[in-house]
Amino acid sequence: MGKVLVIGCGGVAGVAIQKCAQNDAVFDEICIASRTVSKCDALKEKLEGKTKAKITTAQVDADNVPELVELIKKVQPDVVLNLALPYQDLTIMDACLETGVHYVDTANYEPEDTAKFEYKWQWAYREKYEKAGITALLGSGFDPGVTSVFSAYALKHYFDEINYIDILDCNGGDHGYPFATNFNPEINIREVSAKGSYWEDGHWVETEPMEIKREYDFPEVGKKDMYLLHHEEIESLALNIPGIKRIRFFMTFGQSYLTHLKCLENVGMTSIEPIMYEGKEIVPLQFLKAVLPDPSTLGPRTKGKTNIGCIFIGKKDGKEKKLYIYNTCDHQECYKEVGSQAVAYTTGVPAMIGAMLVMNGTWQKPGVFNMEEFDPDPFMDALNKWGLPWKICENPELVD
Ligand code: NDP
């Protein structure tokens, strides 16, 4: 039993908080704190009478360390679950350090003025967290998160060594809009308009954005075009999976999404360089975010399934072995359960599980860790229990 302080109250947090409330044998108190407190109050009201957990709300600016420290001291949580934006990771980590509270997030730090996400800033806290005797668990979403746990599980139970990993993220859902993003538009567009990269033979290979395209026939979804992107779990898996030769990440995009994105890029709307507009400084991408549909409103409109998983090739008892571990998730089923589409659901459920395992001591170790560094078994069991059951295929179609 324990108390979680969730920071942020957007699409992902909405699901994670409802899952913590369902899991009230573990989370007996939940404090929801965000920039716009009315969103926290609305969620608290929605949960009233549906959970035994005590729910409180608070307003906080997560860019401000003293404000965060004051809130943490007042709430006295066992764990802080950071579901704000990647820009807030370091301030929240600083506040956890100052108050001696465990930290969990779903996305690695990215400076607001540079679209480059790397673990170096958060890994720099390793020694400080070790000395403070607290745990930071990085990337407890689906990808990174579940994909990292799938990798640790494959290594533990199926392989002597893994040489190749292809992470495939397919959203076969349709929301009916010509262009919308499934999670925070600013973060999503920064990610997909950046150069691609993959890890091969000990170094990064950089590609132009969307340069590498493949088609894949996804179980329960069908054939989709997918594109190679840089993705943060590649960086930590390259260090933590012994014998690894290559790791790639592919995400599916429809033609309408890509055509709109190209057009927005060509006219400068995806730029993060501030410009002056009628005497006021604005960032084009932040303005674009303001006119696009809010991802948390896509739930009722989105139909179809997601399929996210990893294909592994390696060796067992001297022989080559292949394995595909994946989860499929139905947008409408998620909407029925928590009022959100599957992209928020597939991130919010693992966020709750990560917070639970850190809080109850199963995944507690002083320092800063990525998901694949812990025993995957309790996480894999919890995925089955809390709405993201996974499947294993021993003879998958491979990506060339
Ligand atoms: P949203 O934009 O829907 O929600 C972000 C929330 O954070 C909002 O409630 C926002 O407040 C709040 N927030 C932003 N800045 C501050 C601040 N300075 N102080 C306090 N609160 C703040 O984003 P999502 O829910 O889509 O994404 C949340 C996180 O999940 C992101 O880091 C994203 O990268 C990550 N993610 C991870 C995935 C994975 O698989 N690992 C997949 C998808 C997302 P306000 O309401 O005022 O705007």
Side-chain angles (χ1 to χ4, degrees):
M1 302 281 268
K3 191 190 288 185
V4 59
L5 167 61
V6 182
I7 299 182
C9 194
V12 173
V15 176
I17 292 160
Q18 290 182 73
K19 284 291 177 179
C20 290
Q22 284 177 14
N23 192 1
D24 52 12
V26 169
F27 296 97
D28 56 2
E29 279 194 56
I30 305 165
C31 177
I32 315 168
S34 192
R35 182 168 55 190
T36 313
V37 74
S38 56
K39 290 192 191 168
C40 312
D41 292 334
L43 184 54
K44 175 180 169 134
E45 202 175 308
K46 178 175 168 184
L47 289 168
E48 225 119 80
K50 292 192 189 143
T51 175
K52 290 206 264 335
K54 180 180 165 205
I55 299 179
T56 57
T57 63
Q59 203 274 330
V60 73
D61 174 6
D63 291 320
N64 182 322
V65 179
E67 226 181 88
L68 285 165
V69 167
E70 198 189 326
L71 175 70
I72 296 173
K73 282 186 176 158
K74 186 170 152 230
V75 175
Q76 299 204 330
D78 299 289
V79 62
V80 170
L81 177 55
N82 166 17
L83 300 176
L85 297 178
Y87 318 133
Q88 279 85 45
D89 286 3
L90 301 187
T91 46
I92 300 176
M93 284 183 83
D94 280 330
C96 284
L97 204 51
E98 203 173 320
T99 51
V101 176
H102 305 300
Y103 168 90
V104 177
D105 69 25
T106 65
N108 72 8
Y109 174 70
E110 193 181 342
E112 204 160 350
D113 57 358
T114 329
K116 180 144 181 68
F117 45 94
E118 285 181 79
Y119 278 116
K120 66 174 183 201
W121 290 284
Q122 292 182 276
W123 285 346
Y125 284 72
R126 279 177 178 149
E127 221 181 289
K128 291 185 205 159
Y129 267 65
E130 265 169 41
K131 280 199 187 123
I134 53 173
T135 305
L137 178 63
L138 307 185
S140 193
F142 206 106
D143 42 343
V146 176
T147 50
S148 326
V149 176
F150 283 172
S151 303
Y153 186 80
L155 186 63
K156 180 172 175 187
H157 296 285
Y158 288 88
F159 290 90
D160 295 327
E161 62 177 89
I162 295 178
N163 307 123
Y164 300 94
I165 305 177
D166 278 329
I167 303 166
L168 310 189
D169 180 333
C170 164
N171 182 3
D174 183 7
H175 44 57
Y177 286 119
F179 186 80
T181 64
N182 294 293
F183 67 96
N184 185 290
E186 188 182 333
I187 307 295
N188 180 257
I189 291 172
R190 282 166 75 114
E191 181 176 288
V192 302
S193 52
K195 290 208 177 205
S197 69
Y198 59 97
W199 183 261
E200 191 165 49
D201 296 332
H203 60 87
W204 290 105
V205 181
E206 199 169 74
T207 71
E208 289 307 310
M210 309 287 178
E211 183 187 330
I212 298 183
K213 175 185 174 185
R214 297 283 186 272
E215 188 189 64
Y216 195 79
D217 193 0
F218 288 92
E220 296 175 53
V221 175
K223 283 190 181 161
K224 294 274 170 202
D225 289 337
M226 58 183 194
Y227 298 82
L228 186 141
L229 297 183
H230 172 73
H231 223 246
E232 61 199 59
E233 64 267 54
I234 299 177
E235 190 185 358
S236 70
L237 288 171
L239 289 179
N240 293 325
I241 302 292
I244 196 74
K245 292 185 177 147
R246 188 186 66 200
I247 314 175
R248 300 181 298 185
F249 180 96
F250 291 91
M251 190 178 269
T252 62
F253 296 102
Q255 199 46 55
S256 173
Y257 180 96
L258 293 175
T259 310
H260 280 78
L261 187 64
K262 186 81 293 165
C263 174
L264 290 165
E265 261 169 21
N266 286 345
V267 298
M269 280 307 298
T270 59
S271 167
I272 60 171
E273 289 300 320
I275 55 158
M276 291 306 288
Y277 177 73
E278 293 191 346
K280 192 176 180 323
E281 196 178 83
I282 62 163
V283 174
L285 180 57
Q286 286 173 0
F287 178 75
L288 176 63
K289 175 183 184 251
V291 296
L292 285 175
D294 179 347
S296 66
T297 63
L298 298 178
R301 314 170 48 102
T302 310
K303 297 193 173 63
K305 285 186 180 181
T306 59
N307 176 329
I308 319 175
C310 307
I311 299 173
F312 303 99
I313 305 175
K315 292 191 187 67
K316 181 74 182 172
D317 301 329
K319 287 197 203 122
E320 190 184 92
K321 184 170 176 59
K322 298 177 257 176
L323 192 80
Y324 184 21
I325 312 182
Y326 64 91
N327 160 266
T328 57
C329 194
D330 186 289
H331 286 286
Q332 287 292 296
E333 292 295 318
C334 298
Y335 185 67
K336 261 187 248 155
E337 185 193 325
V338 294
S340 295
Q341 32 83 2
V343 175
Y345 192 90
T346 52
T347 313
V349 171
M352 177 283 281
I353 296 171
M356 168 176 78
L357 295 182
V358 168
M359 197 176 80
N360 69 17
T362 314
W363 274 20
Q364 225 181 68
K365 193 157 64 164
V368 175
F369 299 96
N370 294 89
M371 305 285 287
E372 66 275 10
E373 294 181 80
F374 286 101
D375 178 8
D377 293 356
F379 203 101
M380 293 293 273
D381 290 343
L383 286 170
N384 284 331
K385 181 170 176 192
W386 292 103
L388 293 177
W390 38 275
K391 291 177 187 144
I392 288 192
C393 166
E394 301 226 24
N395 191 21
E397 174 194 340
L398 301 179
V399 182
D400 63 15

